[in-house]
């Protein structure tokens, strides 16, 4: 009986020991799984963090490229604006030259000079000494051009670089069109410069008056001249 009791106690001890060993093994295995699972999550978290950092670096790089491209675009826009301005200036210069050459109509302030034959011609004098001749017209036209006139017309007919003025008896021919006195010479340009040039001492006006020609000078705010008709 005493031996059986010892066997029973030993069996109980072995059973409890086995249970404890089994429990300890299962617990250790469970903890190992938890630790393994935590490592995987950490690896994922680390991976995602690295991806996020990489994306942030890429975004920073792209923002730098965007800013650089934006500056390039602004520079190109500035250059285009300057080119457009330059082209606009060229167009205006071309337009002004076309107006000066007569390809386009012209309008502006200027002077008007009217030449008339003398009202009184003594009977004993030669009438030709009291009427307007082509040389008188040439004097006025040349003086006005020298003073900076942009365009000149005679009795409304515009003069061009190849225009021809001649005297045909008592009338003046301008490019084949005849006009009788009074002769109205109009000039577009700086009024003060044109007026000062015409009224110089011993200048054009004095010469015309000395030739018995009646001269009237007037400033006009608006003078219009048509373009050349081909």
């Amino acid at each position: 009986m005493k031996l059986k009791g010892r066997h029973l106690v030993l069996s109980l001890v072995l059973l409890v020991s086995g249970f404890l060993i089994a429990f300890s093994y299962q617990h250790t295995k469970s903890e190992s799984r938890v630790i393994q699972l935590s490592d995987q999550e950490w690896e994922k978290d680390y991976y995602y963090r690295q991806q996020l950092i990489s994306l942030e670096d890429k975004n920073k790089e792209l923002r730098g490229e965007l800013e650089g491209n934006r500056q390039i675009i602004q520079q190109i826009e500035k250059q285009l604006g300057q080119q457009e301005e330059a082209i606009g200036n060229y167009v205006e210069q071309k337009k002004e030259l076309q107006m000066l050459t007569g390809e386009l109509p012209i309008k502006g302030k200027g002077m008007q000079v009217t030449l008339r034959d003398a009202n009184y011609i003594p009977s004993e004098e030669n009438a030709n000494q009291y009427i307007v001749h082509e040389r008188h017209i040439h004097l006025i036209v040349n003086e006005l051009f020298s003073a900076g006139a942009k365009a000149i017309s005679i009795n409304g007919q515009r003069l061009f670089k190849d225009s021809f003025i001649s005297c045909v008896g008592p009338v003046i021919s301008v490019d084949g069109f005849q006009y009788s006195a009074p002769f109205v010479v109009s000039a577009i340009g700086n009024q003060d410069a044109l007026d000062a040039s015409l009224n110089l001492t011993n200048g054009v006006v004095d010469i015309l008056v000395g030739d018995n020609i009646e001269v009237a000078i007037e400033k006009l705010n608006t003078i219009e001249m048509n373009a050349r008709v081909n």
Side-chain angles (χ1 to χ4, degrees), residues 99-176:
M99 288 190 292
L100 294 177
T101 58
E103 294 180 33
L104 293 176
I106 189 170
K107 177 181 178 181
K109 294 182 178 181
M111 302 292 296
Q112 179 174 283
V113 182
T114 302
L115 306 180
R116 289 184 173 87
D117 298 336
N119 284 329
Y120 174 71
I121 301 176
S123 58
E124 67 277 7
E125 296 289 340
N126 185 346
N128 284 330
Q129 297 179 359
Y130 292 84
I131 63 175
V132 180
H133 294 283
E134 63 179 89
R135 61 186 178 86
H136 299 131
I137 302 294
H138 280 297
L139 280 174
I140 290 291
V141 170
N142 291 337
E143 189 66 28
L144 290 172
F145 273 132
S146 297
K150 296 180 179 180
I152 296 177
S153 66
I154 298 176
N155 285 31
Q157 182 176 335
R158 186 170 175 179
L159 298 181
F160 304 98
K161 62 180 180 179
D162 56 351
S163 290
F164 182 76
I165 302 172
S166 62
C167 190
V168 183
V171 299
I172 296 294
S173 175
V174 181
D175 295 335

Side-chain angles (χ1 to χ4, degrees), residues 53-70:
I53 293 173
S54 177
L55 288 174
E56 289 178 347
D57 291 341
K58 187 63 176 179
N59 287 337
K60 184 177 180 180
E61 180 182 350
L62 291 174
R63 283 195 296 269
E65 291 181 2
L66 178 61
E67 182 61 28
N69 291 334
R70 184 175 294 147

Side-chain angles (χ1 to χ4, degrees), residues 39 72 112 201:
D39 288 344
I72 293 174
Q112 179 174 283
T201 302

Side-chain angles (χ1 to χ4, degrees), residues 22-130:
F23 177 79
S24 177
Y25 174 77
Q26 291 296 329
H27 180 70
T28 303
K29 186 177 180 181
S30 176
E31 285 185 348
S32 177
R33 289 178 179 175
V34 171
I35 293 173
Q36 184 67 24
L37 181 61
S38 298
D39 288 344
Q40 290 178 355
E41 290 180 349
W42 182 85
E43 289 178 358
K44 289 182 179 179
D45 182 69
Y46 177 78
Y47 172 77
Y48 290 136
R49 286 179 182 274
Q50 291 300 114
Q51 291 295 313
L52 180 60
I53 293 173
S54 177
L55 288 174
E56 289 178 347
D57 291 341
K58 187 63 176 179
N59 287 337
K60 184 177 180 180
E61 180 182 350
L62 291 174
R63 283 195 296 269
E65 291 181 2
L66 178 61
E67 182 61 28
N69 291 334
R70 184 175 294 147
Q71 292 179 0
I72 293 174
I73 291 172
Q74 290 176 348
Q75 185 65 26
I76 292 174
E77 289 177 344
K78 182 178 179 181
Q79 292 176 353
L80 289 175
Q82 293 174 345
Q83 290 178 1
E84 289 178 0
E85 183 179 355
I87 292 172
N89 291 335
Y90 290 142
V91 171
E92 289 300 318
Q93 291 176 8
K94 178 177 180 291
K95 183 178 178 181
E96 184 175 353
L97 290 173
Q98 287 179 306
M99 288 190 292
L100 294 177
T101 58
E103 294 180 33
L104 293 176
I106 189 170
K107 177 181 178 181
K109 294 182 178 181
M111 302 292 296
Q112 179 174 283
V113 182
T114 302
L115 306 180
R116 289 184 173 87
D117 298 336
N119 284 329
Y120 174 71
I121 301 176
S123 58
E124 67 277 7
E125 296 289 340
N126 185 346
N128 284 330
Q129 297 179 359
Y130 292 84

